[in-house]
Amino acid sequence: LRRLHALWVGRITSEPVYEVKMAFSLHAHLAAEQVTALRARVGEMREPPLGLEDVPHAGLEVLMDEVLASAGTGELLMGVYEGVLPALRDAMDRHRAEAHVLADQPTRRALRMALVELEEMLDWGRAAVSALATEGERAGWAPARLVLEAALRSAGGMDGTMGEAGPVPARLRSATPWRYDGVPRRDARFEDPYNMGVNAEVFLYDPAMPSDAKVLMMYYKRLREIDVPEMMASIVAETPGKPWGYYRDMTRQLWDEARHAMLGEVGFVSAGVDWAREVRVNFTWSLGLNTQLKPLERHAVLYFIEQGLMPRTGKRHEWEVSLAAANPLAATIQDFDWADEVLHARIGRDWYVSAMPSAHEAVQYGDRCWSRVLMGWAEWRAQGLTGHANWWPALYAGWCAREDREPDARAAAYAVTYETVRADLRDVSASG
């Protein structure tokens, strides 16, 4: 479960398929929770074993290294959801069946809860493999699959109870060790990922703009949060040696941010907006932080931005805008988004601020780190990567037409970019 957690986190940023990126965020969170529960149960034993982080068999190490180093999305999905997870599910099921019903009830309960979530993961995985792995890919993956099967057999199965049957196989994919890739990637639906042509914050905090239009802009801000799990995954993947609680809490926040992005998608769907066609969702924030800052500096920026979300002009404001627009879905989204940010502030205090000289210095350090992140507005345009097109007027006009509403002239004419209001970059984040 620890290795699956690391695998899912490690592949989030570079995974281009949006749905896979989001599912990996959820599955990493579930794995972290399961690890936490099982560690706690092991600790309750009369003589708990030491070395929970030790690899129990070289075959399992090869198995997980090979899956992690899979060549592409389809092969990775097949390795996890047709190889590792079914074997883990079977081992847990055997353990639960063999444990004494009364004497070892706490273990049986922990395994029962884990098995429910594993089945949900497998259901999603089967659908994803069916959608994304072609027959040609399956044929090409055959040599790699043989290595996985041999590695699992050599360990006697996931739990070592099936009897050793052969030597540990030679590495194939992992013969060259896998390295974390912090450059975010997106699929073809994100056709203009460098676009910074619509300044969402200026619009949202302008009292002259109508509330219903602000709700649409908030859906954009939520969907744009795709780049927060892309960035947070880089912190977790590149920060070794922390207590397990760190990885659990950070992965919970990572999943929350992915959930917020999907809530933005839900909002757009409810409004009849085809986000892939009408919205330009960028990855400039995660790209800038992942390629220009160290892990601690990225965490500092995350905490600094979160502190700006708590005042009245932050999460409360977004919730109040939803209420003013009489939009129950938006109000629900912003209510839980606000609650999540309160939790994230606590996680930041526990794992970032606690390592700094003072809370004040923690915020100031984040401010300094954020000010060093360069957004290549002009360079991206000069390279032909984006024209920073203003997609907002067309989206707003289309929504007004579908809703049979008269467009607000000020909202329809909105054309403020992140270049023209450069100071606002300090407040720009998909988490904002």
Side-chain angles (χ1 to χ4, degrees):
L1 283 168
R2 281 196 309 106
R3 287 300 308 268
L4 280 170
H5 167 266
L7 180 151
W8 281 316
V9 169
R11 295 292 294 251
I12 286 171
T13 308
S14 61
E15 171 53 51
V17 180
Y18 163 59
E19 289 84 358
V20 176
K21 199 184 291 279
M22 298 295 98
F24 282 6
S25 301
L26 170 59
H27 294 179
H29 160 63
L30 295 178
E33 292 297 319
Q34 292 172 13
V35 168
T36 303
L38 293 175
R39 289 173 69 97
R41 179 55 183 153
V42 169
E44 293 169 355
M45 298 296 98
R46 185 168 55 83
E47 295 183 3
L50 302 177
L52 285 178
E53 279 72 27
D54 294 345
V55 180
H57 192 281
L60 296 183
E61 184 172 38
V62 170
L63 172 71
M64 298 308 301
D65 288 350
E66 286 288 301
V67 176
L68 177 60
S70 295
T73 299
E75 182 179 311
L76 177 64
L77 292 174
M78 288 187 284
V80 173
Y81 297 99
E82 292 186 353
V84 174
L85 268 186
L88 178 59
R89 184 264 323 273
D90 293 346
M92 283 190 172
D93 206 34
R94 284 193 298 272
H95 192 150
R96 182 169 177 268
E98 295 172 3
H100 193 280
V101 173
L102 186 57
D104 204 6
Q105 183 273 337
T107 297
R108 284 172 53 85
R109 176 182 180 275
L111 293 174
R112 182 174 65 252
M113 302 298 288
L115 283 164
V116 169
E117 293 179 343
L118 288 184
E119 287 295 346
E120 291 176 353
M121 295 180 197
L122 284 166
D123 286 343
W124 180 88
R126 283 187 285 266
V129 170
S130 176
L132 297 174
T134 66
E135 289 303 316
E137 285 179 315
R138 283 186 172 278
W141 186 60
R145 180 159 197 152
L146 291 174
V147 174
L148 299 189
E149 291 171 350
L152 191 58
R153 282 197 309 270
S154 74
M158 191 64 72
D159 55 3
T161 66
M162 309 305 288
E164 292 202 14
V168 176
R171 294 173 181 268
L172 181 63
R173 299 295 193 215
S174 64
T176 300
W178 176 85
R179 296 187 64 180
Y180 176 75
D181 183 358
V183 176
R185 289 175 177 79
R186 302 280 176 85
D187 62 49
R189 289 168 291 182
F190 300 84
E191 63 180 47
D192 192 4
Y194 293 89
N195 186 300
M196 298 185 71
V198 178
N199 191 311
E201 287 70 32
V202 170
F203 187 95
L204 185 58
Y205 299 133
D206 183 347
M209 292 299 177
S211 296
D212 54 5
K214 287 182 177 181
V215 166
L216 293 176
M217 194 66 83
M218 287 194 302
Y219 290 157
Y220 166 60
K221 283 168 60 65
R222 296 289 78 77
L223 180 56
R224 197 178 63 185
E225 289 192 58
I226 297 168
D227 65 0
V228 187
E230 288 173 338
M231 190 282 289
M232 288 200 68
S234 75
I235 299 175
V236 176
E238 297 185 314
T239 306
K242 291 285 190 178
W244 178 251
Y246 169 89
Y247 301 104
R248 177 202 182 186
D249 287 354
M250 292 290 283
T251 309
R252 164 59 192 271
Q253 181 172 349
L254 184 158
W255 161 235
D256 287 348
E257 308 291 9
R259 203 172 82 250
H260 298 167
M262 288 188 284
L263 285 170
E265 179 187 14
V266 168
F268 274 138
V269 170
S270 75
V273 174
D274 182 351
W275 66 265
R277 183 175 60 85
E278 300 181 61
V279 184
R280 298 295 175 262
V281 183
N282 61 48
F283 61 13
T284 52
W285 188 74
S286 55
L287 176 68
L289 269 66
N290 287 9
T291 58
Q292 297 178 39
L293 299 180
K294 298 176 181 178
L296 180 62
E297 295 170 334
R298 294 173 216 145
H299 201 168
V301 170
L302 182 66
Y303 183 76
F304 168 70
I305 291 173
E306 286 168 347
Q307 297 313 293
L309 301 179
M310 291 300 104
R312 186 171 180 80
T313 55
K315 292 303 175 183
R316 176 186 288 275
H317 174 71
E318 294 180 341
W319 178 63
E320 290 174 342
V321 164
S322 302
L323 295 178
N327 189 317
L329 174 61
T332 297
I333 290 172
Q334 293 309 138
D335 194 2
F336 283 90
D337 181 73
W338 185 8
D340 289 341
E341 291 302 338
V342 174
L343 170 63
H344 301 166
R346 192 272 296 166
I347 292 173
R349 290 192 299 272
D350 287 351
W351 298 111
Y352 165 64
V353 177
S354 63
M356 299 297 289
S358 67
H360 176 75
E361 174 57 25
V363 173
Q364 292 301 307
Y365 182 62
D367 189 0
R368 293 194 300 271
C369 292
W370 186 209
S371 68
R372 288 168 35 211
V373 178
L374 302 177
M375 295 293 178
W377 170 283
E379 292 82 356
W380 294 331
R381 183 165 53 193
Q383 295 168 21
L385 297 173
T386 182
H388 298 296
N390 181 7
W391 46 266
W392 168 258
L395 182 152
Y396 179 62
W399 177 77
C400 288
R402 288 190 297 273
E403 295 290 315
D404 194 24
R405 298 189 183 208
E406 185 68 27
D408 180 270
R410 294 160 300 183
Y414 185 71
V416 180
T417 72
Y418 286 112
E419 180 184 40
T420 54
V421 187
R422 178 64 179 87
D424 275 3
L425 280 176
R426 291 164 56 81
D427 299 324
V428 174
S429 163
S431 67

